[in-house]
Amino acid sequence: MGYAVSYKPSRTRAKRQTPATKAQRTKDIKNAVRWNIAVLERDTTSLDTVSRQTVILLLRLNKIAPAADPTGDHVVQQLISLGVLNRPERRAGVQVFGRDDLLRSLKAWAGVAK
């Protein structure tokens, strides 16, 4: 026994989980930085250094490819390998970036006015 279905499925296409090309991924990263750099600047005003995890959370880098990179570490590593960010230094086992250098380099790369 069964029953008749009287509706048409209205399935819509899901948002892309991973960027289709490397250029699109770079564009997505730039947009995330551009949209969230003010939050990073405001929330880290009194700090000298910013931890890697804080950068990921405040810039929302973990939302760029949630299925492929749910933590956002690959995005930060891509920024380091592109030469946008300097390598973080370790302090007490935590990787930290210098705040001033971090903001300056991200703003220059994303094209955000000071």
Side-chain angles (χ1 to χ4, degrees):
M1 285 223 210
Y3 58 95
V5 178
S6 62
Y7 67 90
K8 282 185 176 180
S10 60
R11 188 173 190 171
T12 58
R13 186 179 176 128
K15 289 175 24 179
R16 69 173 183 271
Q17 292 296 309
T18 57
T21 63
K22 196 171 185 177
Q24 182 63 48
R25 179 177 172 86
T26 304
K27 185 177 177 184
D28 289 347
I29 295 169
K30 271 190 184 182
N31 284 337
V33 170
R34 202 175 286 138
W35 295 332
N36 298 308
I37 192 79
V39 174
L40 177 68
E41 191 170 13
R42 184 192 66 222
D43 289 355
T44 61
T45 301
S46 63
L47 302 175
D48 287 338
T49 59
V50 183
S51 72
R52 182 178 176 134
Q53 196 60 32
T54 304
V55 171
I56 292 169
L57 292 175
L58 291 179
L59 291 179
R60 297 181 184 214
L61 299 177
N62 54 348
K63 304 295 184 202
I64 292 173
D69 182 22
T71 61
D73 282 330
H74 291 100
V75 175
V76 174
Q77 193 58 41
Q78 182 178 349
L79 290 173
I80 292 169
S81 69
L82 288 173
V84 176
L85 299 177
N86 290 331
R87 294 185 60 83
E89 56 185 62
R90 283 195 178 269
R91 290 193 186 165
V94 178
Q95 293 182 352
V96 294
F97 295 99
R99 180 187 179 269
D100 296 333
D101 185 45
L102 175 74
L103 289 173
R104 189 178 326 110
S105 60
L106 285 175
K107 284 181 178 182
W109 181 69
V112 177
K114 298 177 185 183

